[in-house]
Amino acid sequence: MRRTLGSVCVYCGSRPGARPEYREAAIELGRALARKQITLVYGGASVGLMGAVADAALDAGGDVIGILPRWLEAREVGHERLKELHIVDSMHTRKARMIERSDAFVALPGGLGTFDELFEVLTWAQVGLHTKPVGLLDVGGYFEPFRALVRHAVIEGFALPEHEGLFVSDPDPHELVEKLCSFERPVYGSKWVDGPKGP
Ligand code: AMP
C-alpha cells in the first residue's frame, strides 16, 4: 500500500563535505520535499548540508521544522527563517522528537552525528518501535561502506538478512522519496529468540 508522507526527517552533515555534489543533493532534496508539500523536519541548524536542505525547502515555499537542543541554540547555529524552531533540553529528547514528528527518514552524507541518528532510527525500526521507512540518499556512493557494515553484521550472525530491508537507497532524491512512499516493512521474528537455544 502506498504511503502519503506529510513530513520527512532529514539527517545530514553539519559540515558541507568535501565534494560539491553533497550540497547540490541537499538542495535538490529540499526543493523536492517542498514541491511535494512534505514538511521537512531536521536538526534546526543553519550550517553545512543542514542549512542547505532547509534553505532550499524554504526558498521553494516549503514548511520546515527545526528541533535544536538548548546548548546548540546558545552557540547561535539556529536557523532564523524556520516555520517552527523547537528548543529541547537534550540531544536525546531532540532525537526522540524528530522520530515522533516524522513519517519517514532520509540520511544524506554526514559525519558521526548523522550516523548516530541513522543507527538510532534503524534500531528503533528493528525492534518495532516504529514502522516508518528510512532512506539513504546515496550521493556518489557515500553510503556504500554503511551498507557493507550492515552486510558484515548479517554475515557474522549479529543481524538478520531482513534487517537490510529496513532501509532503501537511491542517489536521486525524487526516486528516493518514491521508494519511501512504496516501502513495505520486512517481516521477521524476534532477533533475540532465534538461533542457538543455549547449552
Ligand atoms: P554530523 O553528521 O556529525 O555533522 O552531525 C549532523 C547531525 O547531528 C544532524 O543531522 C543534526 O541533527 C545533528 N547535529 C550535529 N551538529 C549539529 C549542529 N551544529 N546543529 C544542529 N544539529 C547538529
Side-chain angles (χ1 to χ4, degrees):
M1 200 185 69
R2 201 180 151 79
R3 290 164 192 257
T4 305
L5 301 178
S7 56
V8 167
C9 178
V10 172
Y11 304 131
C12 61
S14 56
R15 293 168 178 263
R19 297 202 243 165
E21 298 95 283
Y22 298 141
R23 193 179 144 76
E24 287 157 16
I27 291 171
E28 210 181 321
L29 177 66
R31 281 186 193 145
L33 294 178
R35 287 199 194 117
K36 293 173 197 290
Q37 299 188 321
I38 297 173
T39 298
L40 166 67
V41 177
Y42 86 117
S46 58
V47 293
L49 296 191
M50 299 177 71
V53 70
D55 283 336
L58 289 164
D59 291 345
D63 283 342
V64 181
I65 297 175
I67 305 180
L68 196 68
R70 196 170 305 285
W71 65 273
L72 270 174
E73 186 203 19
R75 291 188 186 184
E76 296 180 348
V77 296
H79 200 297
E80 289 176 351
R81 291 200 290 141
L82 306 182
K83 180 183 170 204
E84 294 174 35
L85 180 63
H86 298 209
I87 305 297
V88 296
D89 56 0
S90 69
M91 291 293 270
H92 290 292
T93 308
R94 172 217 219 184
K95 287 194 290 175
R97 192 71 61 81
M98 287 165 88
I99 293 177
E100 284 157 21
R101 182 63 189 76
S102 308
D103 297 327
F105 308 89
V106 169
L108 267 79
L112 302 184
T114 301
F115 296 147
D116 170 56
E117 292 168 327
L118 175 57
F119 272 116
E120 178 159 299
V121 82
L122 286 173
T123 308
W124 288 28
Q126 177 181 260
V127 297
L129 287 175
H130 73 79
T131 56
K132 302 172 186 177
V134 178
L136 311 178
L137 188 60
D138 195 21
V139 188
Y142 185 78
F143 284 104
E144 191 47 47
F146 176 87
R147 281 192 298 269
L149 181 62
V150 176
R151 172 68 49 89
H152 179 62
V154 171
I155 291 168
E156 294 303 317
F158 293 108
L160 300 174
E162 291 85 350
H163 291 150
E164 292 180 278
L166 290 172
F167 55 89
V168 294
S169 304
D170 205 284
D172 179 77
H174 300 273
E175 294 297 323
L176 186 63
V177 172
E178 276 309 303
K179 286 183 180 178
L180 296 175
C181 291
S182 56
F183 174 80
E184 288 191 26
R185 192 178 185 281
V187 178
Y188 52 86
S190 165
K191 72 178 270 190
W192 291 280
V193 297
D194 291 338
K197 298 286 184 285

